[in-house]
Amino acid sequence: GRESGGGGEGGEAGPLDFLRQLPHFTIMRQSIQMQPHLLPQLLQQLGRTNPQLLALINLHQAEFVRLVNEPVGEEELQQSVQQAQQAEGGAAQGNYNTIQVSEEEMQQIERLEQLVFPMGLNRRVVLESWLACDRDEQLAANYMLNNLEDLRNQLPE
């Protein structure tokens, strides 16, 4: 049988275990833990972008809640952000021309810039955060505000 309970290192593999491998899920966990009221919005967004995954989550809600509530380590979060950036085509290397954005997405990016430029962040940080958050403006804003110090410390002097 499977043990119930268990720690974050997960000996038991459930039907949603693959989520642990997804950098976007780690970033999402971090955001939900900081601001639980975002969960319905995130699930709604997921329903638009990946209805099959949302159906799977609905079938296994208890496991999803357990996964979402696993603590996110600082190192794990940073790795996930880097992986998410690499998956988006190397935004971290400054290849901005490889990112295709719609008019609406450009407006999102500009609004995010207006929000965080006064706080000392630059366009690269905005783009990386927005891409790492799966092009979700609200999630990117929360991520940048929640991680303001770390993001500022990563900027070149």
Side-chain angles (χ1 to χ4, degrees):
R2 274 178 17 169
E3 298 92 58
S4 60
E9 302 316 308
E12 75 279 1
L16 296 177
D17 237 36
F18 69 94
L19 288 174
R20 284 196 180 104
Q21 269 57 75
L22 303 177
H24 291 306
F25 183 68
T26 303
I27 296 164
M28 187 174 127
R29 265 175 36 215
Q30 165 79 7
S31 300
I32 292 168
Q33 288 170 20
M34 304 285 267
Q35 297 176 301
H37 67 275
L38 288 177
L39 184 58
Q41 257 177 295
L42 291 169
L43 290 174
Q44 202 174 27
Q45 169 92 15
L46 189 60
R48 288 196 296 271
T49 57
N50 194 337
Q52 298 90 342
L53 180 56
L54 183 61
L56 192 64
I57 287 170
N58 285 331
L59 281 173
H60 305 283
Q61 287 182 352
E63 185 185 358
F64 179 72
V65 168
R66 186 175 56 77
L67 287 173
V68 164
N69 287 311
E70 285 178 358
V72 179
E74 195 62 41
E75 213 169 291
E76 181 187 10
L77 183 65
Q78 303 233 314
Q79 273 180 325
S80 294
V81 170
Q82 286 170 347
Q83 288 169 345
Q85 290 161 356
Q86 287 162 356
E88 288 286 350
Q93 283 76 44
N95 302 334
Y96 296 129
N97 58 348
T98 62
I99 304 170
Q100 297 295 309
V101 294
S102 68
E103 184 74 34
E104 189 185 326
E105 290 173 330
M106 197 62 219
Q107 290 169 356
Q108 285 183 19
I109 293 167
E110 287 166 0
R111 283 193 298 267
L112 287 168
E113 288 174 341
Q114 289 168 357
L115 175 73
V116 299
F117 278 7
M119 298 170 202
L121 298 180
N122 63 21
R123 171 168 248 180
R124 195 202 69 182
V125 172
V126 169
L127 278 173
E128 288 176 0
S129 301
W130 180 72
L131 289 170
C133 292
D134 216 19
R135 299 179 183 224
D136 182 311
E137 180 180 6
Q138 188 74 48
L139 198 54
N142 289 324
Y143 170 76
M144 287 186 289
L145 294 174
N146 291 335
N147 296 284
L148 197 56
E149 281 306 304
D150 294 335
L151 292 170
R152 263 193 286 206
N153 294 338
Q154 290 170 17
L155 292 173
E157 289 304 310

